[in-house]
Amino acid sequence: MALEVNILLRELTPFEKLVCEHLCDGLTNGAIARTTAHTEKVIENTVSRVAHAFSIKSNGEVNVRVLLALAYRAHFGDKAFDKLGVACSHLTVGPNGEQICARHTQ
């Protein structure tokens, strides 16, 4: 089954990015709502808007949240690696010994 996920169609708001960061950390909508002091409905709507921005559509056979996390990480990098202590597979050592990854935003 081929899925079509487009490059981000518009800029995300800071709140949309925050929700996606929490989503990438594996938090449920309820947990994100508690963390951000919003309602679950606000979080549901935000997740839906961001999925739409990536052209991710629910078809009953895919998990939109998983695809959204993958699309978000592919576009913005993956700070979740830092939180989990997992080395990014794109990581190289720079000339001064620093770790560099063009796809992993700091």
Side-chain angles (χ1 to χ4, degrees):
M1 164 177 44
L3 299 173
E4 185 176 319
V5 176
N6 293 324
I7 294 176
L8 191 60
L9 300 176
R10 64 171 175 79
E11 289 297 316
L12 298 182
T13 67
F15 183 68
E16 289 171 336
K17 288 180 180 181
L18 176 65
V19 169
C20 286
E21 288 291 331
H22 289 309
L23 184 139
C24 288
D25 288 340
L27 297 182
T28 64
N29 287 350
I32 296 170
R34 286 187 296 280
T35 301
T36 62
H38 288 80
T39 66
E40 276 191 66
K41 187 64 176 171
V42 167
I43 304 305
E44 287 175 22
N45 290 340
T46 303
V47 169
S48 179
R49 277 194 314 276
V50 176
H52 185 262
F54 278 106
S55 296
I56 298 170
K57 296 179 177 109
S58 176
N59 68 8
E61 294 185 17
V62 297
N63 186 313
V64 171
R65 290 173 61 88
V66 170
L67 291 181
L68 180 55
L70 292 170
Y72 184 82
R73 286 174 168 168
H75 191 81
F76 291 102
D78 194 352
K79 293 179 184 177
F81 283 130
D82 295 335
K83 294 175 187 171
L84 295 172
V86 176
C88 175
S89 63
H90 305 106
L91 203 57
T92 60
V93 177
N96 297 325
E98 73 277 16
Q99 296 183 341
I100 302 171
C101 179
R103 297 182 73 189
H104 185 170
T105 58
Q106 299 296 322

